[in-house]
Amino acid sequence: MQHRVYFLGAGPGDPELLTRRAEHILHDCPVVYVPPLYEQTFADLLRGKRLFVPFDYYFAELIEMIREQQEKAPVAFLVPGDLTFYSPFQAIVDELDDLAVVVPGVGSANAAAALLKKTLELPGVCSHAILASPRTLGDGPDAPTMADFAAPGATLVIYMNNLPLAELVAQLRKGYGQDVPIAIAHRLGLPDEDMVIATLDTIVARVGGRDYFNLEGTNPRPALTLVLVGESLTADADPDWWDYRRDNIWKGQRND
């Protein structure tokens, strides 16, 4: 019998953000694949389990190990954030096919918005949000840059930034065409969580020499840092929108 392999959205690293369903499943899995740092923050839930770092193995040997392990018991992966954006685990899910079960979790963008206490789309301020990463845009002559995604009225959520901050800001300034708010959310959900909120004109000076993007380290692994940009980060909501929705959307719904 082959047991299921569960890919549990583990949020940004805070065990308090693990869903009840994921916690129940994790309890029943004696083998867990854990990304670095999560074995520390999830230590209480992982006690007594066999732990493996998935990034230590090539794909073929990883799949072979999983298939041997799932012959005996269910297997779990703690997935940073969840499988929704920029996840390296998709190929494993595809390979396991019907034996893979994906359990959604709290994405890093959700955690960052919660820390800011802001919605990333705000009527009259930002009409849409865009998720992008400079790592995935390519480096050819026709490849887009972050400037192509940055524009007034858009909230930009940037994953896995690999550009020096001054260069990133220059591209964003070109796209927005004005000074707008920017937030750097570093190691969300971890004990040393840090959030810097400034504007495109002031963020470089505010950050100073701090290497939030792991550009100077010897380990090439992307840093656990999100960048959020746009007017919605500091704007106040117009209370009139509440009354508009009450009169035109919500009114009478309780009788439907």
Side-chain angles (χ1 to χ4, degrees):
M1 174 184 177
Q2 285 188 307
H3 294 269
R4 300 281 188 177
V5 179
Y6 295 93
F7 294 81
L8 308 177
D14 184 350
E16 293 294 323
L17 297 181
L18 194 68
T19 66
R20 293 179 63 185
R21 181 187 178 199
E23 184 174 353
H24 292 324
I25 292 172
L26 183 61
H27 179 270
D28 294 332
C29 293
V31 174
V32 184
Y33 285 86
V34 188
L37 299 179
Y38 279 40
E39 81 283 0
Q40 301 174 28
T41 57
F42 286 88
D44 289 343
L45 298 176
L46 297 174
R47 192 169 289 113
K49 301 180 183 297
R50 296 176 61 203
L51 305 181
F52 299 87
V53 178
F55 310 128
D56 287 346
Y57 306 94
Y58 289 105
F59 186 80
E61 63 178 325
L62 179 60
I63 294 299
E64 183 178 357
M65 284 176 54
I66 295 171
R67 294 204 183 280
E68 291 177 357
Q69 292 160 345
Q70 69 181 149
E71 291 284 349
K72 301 174 183 178
V75 176
F77 277 74
L78 285 182
V79 178
D82 59 21
L83 205 68
T84 309
F85 304 109
Y86 303 107
S87 173
F89 298 97
Q90 185 62 58
I92 306 173
V93 174
D94 292 344
E95 181 71 22
L96 296 172
D97 199 18
D98 291 341
L99 292 173
V101 178
V102 177
V103 178
V106 177
S108 298
N110 304 100
L115 191 58
L116 288 165
K117 295 193 289 187
K118 293 292 185 179
T119 178
L120 300 183
E121 175 278 328
L122 189 62
V125 178
C126 285
S127 62
H128 57 289
I130 300 172
L131 292 92
S133 171
R135 287 180 182 266
T136 65
L137 297 181
D139 53 9
D142 297 325
T145 69
M146 298 310 298
D148 295 310
F149 299 96
T155 299
L156 192 57
V157 182
I158 303 171
Y159 284 72
M160 301 181 299
N161 175 57
N162 62 346
L163 301 174
L165 182 58
E167 180 180 344
L168 174 65
V169 167
Q171 292 189 20
L172 296 173
R173 195 68 161 82
K174 181 179 178 182
Y176 280 102
Q178 56 184 322
D179 187 27
V180 299
I182 180 172
I184 294 178
H186 183 61
R187 295 170 68 86
L188 289 166
L190 298 175
D192 54 349
E193 172 183 271
D194 190 17
M195 174 81 82
V196 179
I197 304 173
T199 72
L200 292 180
D201 285 354
T202 62
I203 187 64
V204 174
R206 283 284 305 277
V207 168
R210 286 170 287 182
D211 184 19
Y212 280 122
F213 307 116
N214 194 30
L215 302 181
E216 300 172 6
T218 57
N219 188 334
R221 186 172 297 159
L224 301 177
T225 306
L226 279 184
V227 179
L228 300 95
V229 195
E231 299 94 327
S232 66
L233 271 59
T234 58
D236 292 327
D238 183 352
D240 288 343
W241 278 101
W242 181 276
D243 294 339
Y244 174 84
R245 293 186 182 101
R246 192 271 176 197
D247 289 337
N248 296 279
I249 300 175
W250 302 330
K251 188 176 180 180
Q253 282 189 347
R254 288 183 297 175
N255 297 325
D256 290 347

